[in-house]
Amino acid sequence: MQGVLLGVMYWNVKVGGSPMICLVLTGGTIEASVSQYERNKEYVDIVELRVDLLHESSRSRVATFPSLVDVPVILTIRRQSDGGMYIGSERSRLALLESCLDGKFDYVDIEDDVKRSMAEQKAREAGVRIIRSKHDFSGMPNDIYHRIAKISAKGDIPKLAVTPQSILDLITLFRVRTELKDVEDKIVLGMGDFGLPSRILYKRMGSLWTYCAETPVAPGQISVQQMKELYQADKVDDRTHIYGVIGNPVNHSFSPRIQNPGFRGINFNAIYLPFLVDSVRSFFILAEMLKISGFSVTVPHKQQVLPYLGKITREVKQIGSCNTVVRAKNLWSGTNTDYYGFVEPLIPDIDSKEIQSALVIGAGGAARSVVWALRNHGCKVTIINRNLERAKNLAQETMTAYDTLEHAKLYEHVDLVVQTTSVGMVPAIEEDPIPDYTFNKNQIVYELVYRPKYTKLLQRALEAGCRLHFGIDMLIRQGKHQFESFTGYHYPKRLELSLDLEED
Ligand code: ATR
């Protein structure tokens, strides 16, 4: 009884209050669902009991569930066509929904195409709010604003879970907030990788809550812990500065784990999240719309952002690529922190003349930052690459020397060896771009691959007694430089040790 009272009390507090984080319960039994809630209690404001995920034997006890937790509960029995697991006729599903409503649920999710059901009638009589849901796993209906307005006019809560296929689709979703200002109670979310920003910035979407799970059950869903701890999505307000990383793919970027804790460390009201971007041009429209304050740029957009920048640094101009964009007065300004992240630890050795000559393996995008940085600091550089033409082009542009990969042994006397290709990266960890090259203990060896930390090449260099520089440290350094560009502050010192990105 106490649980029921508590549930009602929470309901009163939360509805019309601040938006919430909803945990989708995926346990197979009532007990497992309660435990799942208990484990994640600190993160959630509301839970959704997915009866379709419960074993048949637990379904008769669904009505007891709301009294076992002290937050509002949504009752849902999702059919397979909407991404659920309910097997059985539509008639039996609706009958089950109706009987479950004997419990004191706060909300019931009834699909938008289910008309005049007994469950609906029972819910209305009991004062249970109805969420009218529509799922689209392959795209976006072209009448989303109309659908939302229509459902809302009936007093129900519209829930639209659609699958944006591009940044333009995501823009359409984010426009819901301004197009439907008067519809206060609504849930709109984009599934899949393009949709992730709409899940995290659900408050900017004007959604009542966002759905998370302990182990994600829908496309693009993230764990409740990530939502609450990494992104602190529920703390976003109208003054929160939005930052992000754009790329394709992008959702596995480490950058949110560098930037978000940093923002918190300096008490900066800001959030940093991944944006899967198919068109840079569209992203700049979204960036204006969401008033994005700055963003990191990763493959394949580092060159494509250049035409949109009003101001660039000398390094961006030289390298022809930009990995950091910040909003300056009325224009976007671009820098390249890969350049500094790379060269910074070498400067003492360059200044002391310990490094005067360098061999750079590779002539791709990463090599461009490396070669320009070394050359600008007065090192004598030779580029070796599988594709000789590419090495030649970069060498001519940077006024350095070049050769084929097979001739690596001719350069065993250099002070510094830098490995910029993808060779040796997981999963091909046994590969080595210069297997016949003999290192000597006076050399410094710099590997840009960060997964694994010790590539085959670095292991050989270690055995030869060389001094090593790791890709993971460069990644962190460039991230810290981005943080400075974004905030104007140094990255908080006390957080530095917690950036152990190797585990992933
Ligand atoms: P990035 O931006 O990471 O540098 P990139 O521009 O595609 O990526 O460049 C990849 C680099 O890795 C190139 O130097 C490429 O050599 P080619 O120019 O000959 O393609 C190099 N690379 C990739 N796979 C390689 C392999 N199996 N052996 C040798 N070099 C390789």
Side-chain angles (χ1 to χ4, degrees), residues 2 48 234 268 271 280 282 327 333 365 378 403 428 474 481:
Q2 198 187 10
E48 179 185 45
D234 54 325
F268 182 38
I271 185 169
V280 168
S282 307
R327 188 187 281 279
S333 163
D403 208 334
M474 173 172 157
H481 280 286

Side-chain angles (χ1 to χ4, degrees), residues 119-135:
E120 178 181 336
Q121 196 179 328
K122 188 165 171 179
R124 292 205 193 285
E125 282 165 12
V128 179
R129 283 208 72 186
I130 297 174
I131 298 166
R132 282 285 182 186
S133 62
K134 159 79 186 159
H135 292 79

Side-chain angles (χ1 to χ4, degrees), residues 163-431:
T163 310
Q165 303 290 324
S166 63
I167 282 290
L168 278 181
D169 279 352
L170 190 63
I171 290 173
T172 305
L173 273 190
F174 272 107
R175 281 216 176 107
V176 164
R177 189 180 182 189
T178 45
E179 294 286 330
L180 296 166
K181 267 200 289 290
D182 301 335
V183 181
E184 269 195 22
D185 291 353
K186 60 184 174 303
I187 303 156
V188 183
L189 63 95
M191 296 186 285
D193 290 346
F194 279 112
L196 184 60
S198 69
R199 288 184 183 273
I200 299 172
L201 295 175
Y202 69 100
K203 294 178 76 172
R204 287 289 166 94
M205 300 277 297
S207 277
L208 275 180
W209 55 72
T210 190
Y211 292 86
C212 305
E214 199 175 49
T215 322
V217 286
Q221 210 172 49
I222 60 173
S223 76
V224 66
Q225 194 177 356
Q226 264 189 314
M227 190 67 90
K228 185 84 180 181
E229 287 190 343
L230 175 60
Y231 295 111
Q232 300 200 346
D234 54 325
K235 297 224 171 88
V236 170
D237 58 30
D238 283 339
R239 280 164 309 176
T240 304
H241 295 264
I242 300 174
Y243 294 88
V245 48
I246 70 167
N248 189 356
V250 75
N251 286 354
H252 293 100
S253 165
F254 282 132
S255 300
R257 292 199 281 141
I258 299 177
Q259 305 300 336
N260 284 310
F263 292 159
R264 254 156 252 150
I266 60 162
N267 286 323
F268 182 38
N269 181 0
I271 185 169
Y272 181 102
L273 63 149
F275 289 90
L276 176 64
V277 167
D278 57 329
S279 150
V280 168
R281 185 192 167 102
S282 307
F283 179 75
F284 274 93
I285 298 173
L286 181 70
E288 290 300 342
M289 195 178 137
L290 294 180
K291 300 193 171 51
I292 288 176
S293 305
F295 53 94
S296 312
V297 186
T298 185
V299 179
H301 300 314
K302 289 184 182 186
Q303 289 84 38
Q304 291 167 23
V305 292
L306 296 180
Y308 301 91
L309 306 179
K311 200 174 147 197
I312 54 172
T313 58
R314 178 186 72 149
E315 295 79 45
V316 170
K317 197 166 179 194
Q318 286 180 327
I319 303 164
S321 95
C322 163
N323 79 332
T324 312
V325 177
V326 291
R327 188 187 281 279
K329 276 185 213 120
N330 299 323
L331 52 82
W332 294 102
S333 163
T335 56
N336 192 315
T337 67
D338 289 334
Y339 178 100
Y340 296 101
F342 164 72
V343 81
E344 216 170 51
L346 301 176
I347 289 174
D349 292 322
I350 293 173
D351 289 348
S352 68
K353 303 253 182 281
E354 203 153 320
I355 297 177
Q356 299 190 55
S357 59
L359 179 68
V360 174
I361 309 162
R368 292 187 65 81
S369 303
V370 166
V371 173
W372 274 111
L374 292 173
R375 180 202 167 284
N376 286 348
H377 285 80
C379 290
K380 183 172 173 297
V381 177
T382 303
I383 304 162
I384 55 169
N385 195 45
R386 182 177 59 178
N387 176 333
L388 189 64
E389 196 58 25
R390 228 174 156 192
K392 181 180 168 187
N393 290 341
L394 182 56
Q396 284 181 341
E397 201 182 312
T398 53
M399 287 173 283
T400 52
Y402 68 96
D403 208 334
T404 62
L405 212 50
E406 290 74 35
H407 288 163
K409 278 191 83 61
L410 298 177
Y411 305 93
E412 287 180 349
H413 59 279
V414 298
D415 305 322
L416 170 73
V417 177
V418 187
Q419 201 303 107
T420 74
T421 76
S422 49
V423 180
M425 192 188 288
V426 285
I429 57 167
E430 284 307 315
E431 289 180 10

